[in-house]
Amino acid sequence: MIKYEIKNTKEYHNNYSKAIENPEVFWAEIAKKNFTWIRPWSQVLDWDFSIPKVSWFEGAQLNITENCIDRHIENNGHKTAILFEPNNPKDPSEAITYNDLYKRINRFANVLKSKGIQKGDRVCIYLPMIPELAISVLACARIGAIHSVVFAGFSANALSTRINDCDCKMVITSDGGYRGAKTIDLKSIVDSALLDCTGVESVLVAKRIHSDPPMVSGRDYWLQPLLDDASIECEATVMDAEDPLFILYTSGSTGKPKGMVHTTAGYMVYSAYTFKNIFQYEPNDIYWCTADIGWITGHSYIVYGPLLNGATTLMFEGVPSYPDYGRFWSIVEKHKVSQFYTAPTAIRALAKEGLELVNRYDLSSLKILGTVGEPINEEAWHWYNDHVGKKKCPIVDTWWQTETGGVMISPIPNSFEGKPTFATLPFIGVQPALMDENGIEIEGNSVEGRLCVKFPWPSMARTIWGNHQRYKDTYFSAYDQKYFTGDGALRDENGHYRITGRVDDVIIVSGHNLGTAPIEDAINEHPMVAESAIVGYPHDIKGSALYGFVTLKNSQDLSDALKIEINQLISKQIGPIAKLDKIQFTTGLPKTRSGKIMRRILRKIAIKDTSNLGDISTLLNPEVVETIMKNSL
Ligand code: WTA
């Protein structure tokens, strides 16, 4: 359990100042007092954003799983580490203690080793939200293998791209998974992905749905018999502070997904410290984050942050709507959840279903509510506050990114209050900056600009796997010596931040980041399509939905069947999460003289705000705008 807690306003301000005035002293103290190190560091921080290079706790050696598990065993071995709630409410939940987890991780780690996995090898994990997902993540970390978890909603193509990008040697999957009333066959998705992946030597398959998928001899192995034969002891591999811990892919505005690389020591220190303070975790609390471990929120705040604090973390396999829209609240009641962390899109979907489903359950165990993934609208914030928190639970609107590894801007309960739609103040050590179009930092309050961070924090991603230049170009080139987030933000009269949304070509749909380029690439693969452009438009539940403008090679071909085919192609290339809600066939797309599609105009058409389209005289083909407007959906 983290010491040096932030319990009131004064402590927040004192610690914030300390961490800004002398970051190395501050973080060294947190690191020393709260974790087990095999060897201490020789240098706390070394950085230069112009390269960019960032290293924390250089020279130190450790293993993160010793910090997540081993050190809790002596006093808290019987405490529940992972509380698993299955998809079907009639099935029993499972309490995995720290003692159990220790054994299960070690067994799994020994299986990895027996299949030839060594320190530094990449292992792709493609699993539903079952305990094996958290356990395999930690088993990789136990032996220094780099885990690359791919959300199990991604298609075979998306999976093979990610497997090949970082040369995974192994894939860990299951026969399938349950999501609400649906049963999903994962093994066949892996099989088709692997047709394109020559580097994968073995596939470990967990049993969940008891199907009988074909197994490729010499490549595919049922997991359980291997675990049964493995020892419960596995020495933790000694890791250097800056050894990669994991790769996690995130969408970019261009083509290929970016494999963000997170390293060991800094990520450990920051994910643990933020978890403790933002959720004000106390030893008997039951903490629940509804994210999937396939996303960064699940990595940092289902697995690592909670376990580093010796917490009980609830893992839910299912969906909020099964067997009905009261499921989340029934789980809160059943397990007496103290902290509940979810996404605005879930809150909006649940709010729509009416209060009876909320009021049916006893939510009095709740102390703190959290939200993440996209800006939360005022209505959803109030609904959450009034009906879930009963006006007595602080709401932490946490702003952060896959790239940042941990929460960057958020209320800290008991220190200062949240305010609807505001992520409020930077976390300890975080130095945000707002920039104008000329690259000048905007000082003072009541201002708006592009959100950057001007000083390193321990859990920032260190590079993009295999492409450091892209890391530099994407995050460190827009503004000198600053990390650019891709988000816009405003700072109010009290210095509180409100995130206004992406300023690049990333659209957040139901909390998932989707780059426009990969979706357009998928559509353009259709033989009848000449070109396409995707924009976002506001959607009641998803936050944003996708609107596609598609030009066909032959305008005679347009049909509803073609729209379905286009969405099928997107599902195949990326996954169902990237499907378009609206598809409009166009005779051409508005372009600049240099041939760039003017998405600005399409965005306005999609939101039906066409009174002022701005200057379209510079367009190569201004005449198409009129037609697109006339036919807009
Ligand atoms: C958006 C999720 C407003 C933002 C942890 C960011 C938010 C992107 C918030 C990262 C929030 C996340 N308020 N916007 N509280 N949290 N975002 O990588 O645009 O999946 O850049 O990480 O989500 O999404 P990612």
Side-chain angles (χ1 to χ4, degrees), residues 248-251 295-297 301 341 344 371-376 396-404 406-407 409 421-423 483 485-488 498-504 506 508 511-513:
L248 187 59
Y249 286 87
T250 186
S251 308
W295 310 114
I296 190 69
T297 306
Y301 300 113
Y341 190 27
T371 121
V372 60
E374 61 183 303
I376 180 163
V396 291
D397 177 355
T398 62
W399 174 82
W400 59 296
Q401 309 179 293
T402 304
E403 296 85 338
T404 69
V407 173
I409 305 183
T421 78
F422 278 76
Y483 165 80
T485 65
D487 283 327
R498 174 186 189 167
I499 311 302
T500 49
R502 301 292 307 184
V503 294
D504 56 9
V506 172
I508 304 188
H512 304 315
N513 292 4

Side-chain angles (χ1 to χ4, degrees), residues 40-113:
W41 48 89
S42 45
Q43 188 176 15
V44 181
L45 171 64
D46 181 22
W47 69 290
D48 180 350
F49 279 174
S50 65
I51 299 176
K53 171 192 160 73
V54 172
S55 85
W56 284 90
F57 309 110
E58 192 78 62
Q61 290 182 328
L62 71 155
N63 185 289
I64 197 168
T65 67
E66 289 190 325
N67 284 279
C68 285
I69 319 290
D70 304 36
R71 66 189 177 127
H72 305 311
I73 298 277
E74 195 180 337
N75 297 323
N76 277 315
H78 296 291
K79 179 172 175 175
T80 301
I82 296 176
L83 186 52
F84 174 65
E85 174 66 24
N87 179 62
N88 184 343
K90 294 196 184 102
D91 290 343
S93 41
E94 187 188 352
I96 303 171
T97 65
Y98 277 90
N99 282 333
D100 299 335
L101 196 55
Y102 174 86
K103 294 178 197 154
R104 291 178 69 172
I105 288 166
N106 283 343
R107 279 189 200 279
F108 208 127
N110 283 321
V111 170
L112 297 179
K113 284 206 287 196

Side-chain angles (χ1 to χ4, degrees), residues 456-524:
W457 62 100
S459 67
M460 63 190 295
R462 304 295 197 253
T463 190
I464 291 175
W465 183 266
N467 199 345
H468 198 64
Q469 187 61 41
R470 186 173 180 199
Y471 177 66
K472 179 176 178 169
D473 293 346
T474 311
Y475 304 106
F476 296 91
S477 300
Y479 306 102
D480 188 36
Q481 289 288 338
K482 287 180 186 66
Y483 165 80
F484 175 45
T485 65
D487 283 327
L490 63 80
R491 189 162 55 219
D492 74 1
E493 63 285 3
N494 302 315
H496 287 216
Y497 289 85
R498 174 186 189 167
I499 311 302
T500 49
R502 301 292 307 184
V503 294
D504 56 9
D505 285 333
V506 172
I507 303 169
I508 304 188
V509 179
S510 299
H512 304 315
N513 292 4
L514 298 171
T516 51
I519 304 175
E520 290 163 5
D521 290 349
I523 299 173
N524 298 348

